[in-house]
Amino acid sequence: MIKTHNLSKIFTTEEVETTALHNINIHIQEGEFVSIMGPSGCGKSTLLNLIGLLDSPSGGEYYLLDEEVAGYTERRRAKLRKYNIGFIFQSFNLIDELTVFENAELPLLYQKISSAERKERVEEILDFLQIAHRRNHFPQQLSGGQQQRVAVARAIVGKPKIILADEPTGNLDSKNGEDVMNMLVDLNNSGTTIVMVTHSPSHADYGNRIINLFDGEVVTQSTNGGQAVADRSEVRL
């Protein structure tokens, strides 16, 4: 489902060139739950942005759903992204001027789903995530845990094949954090592929596989509860 070959990302300014990712080789199969770990600044979020087609690589190859997409224009990336990928962010990224219902509905507007179907699907998702009673509230009127439930609703309402989660529990207390992790497990059990960036070893263990990054390179990979294996060439999941 997701495969990279020698993927790299270099950020360049007039004064300095910074290599964020170097020769990343990973293979994530459909239906996997993969956790990505590493210290701050190691390239975790950069890798997630490349996987999610929010940015383009500086070099290497990236295959998504058997398409080589590394050289796609932003327009082509956006089209592929909106029908296949849902995002969950640490900072929720909800739109303050929109209600809970309207925030969750956004992906369906981009997909040009009919009004009746949008209403049915959003209400179903909000009910599933136990946030329907807040459907007419605005983000500022919600707790952090409630805001993240809305963010999860927005991510899954379009029924994407892949969910990318960037520190989804980072701004939550332990109870709400565990609730979000259980939601991700439920989604994975229903067939959705999950790729999650996290600093938490306990939350990383919810995944089937763990990839560890250091200084922009894959240094180890391990199965859940298994022995880590050093690998700077390819991690096959």
Side-chain angles (χ1 to χ4, degrees), residues 1 28-33 161 188-189 191-194 208:
M1 174 168 274
I28 299 173
Q29 297 179 353
E30 184 176 0
E32 294 284 347
F33 187 152
K161 297 179 177 68
N188 182 242
N189 288 338
T192 304
T193 302
I194 309 286
N208 310 120

Side-chain angles (χ1 to χ4, degrees), residues 168-198:
T169 62
N171 285 333
L172 302 177
D173 59 32
S174 58
K175 169 66 168 61
N176 283 304
E178 293 304 315
D179 286 346
V180 169
M181 293 309 304
N182 288 327
M183 289 181 215
L184 292 178
V185 170
D186 288 343
L187 288 170
N188 182 242
N189 288 338
S190 70
T192 304
T193 302
I194 309 286
V195 183
M196 177 184 69
V197 161
T198 181

Side-chain angles (χ1 to χ4, degrees), residues 99-108 122 125-126 150 153-155 157:
T99 65
V100 164
F101 184 96
E102 291 166 340
N103 268 284
E105 183 186 30
L106 270 179
L108 303 183
V122 172
I125 290 296
L126 295 181
V150 179
R154 181 185 58 194
V157 71

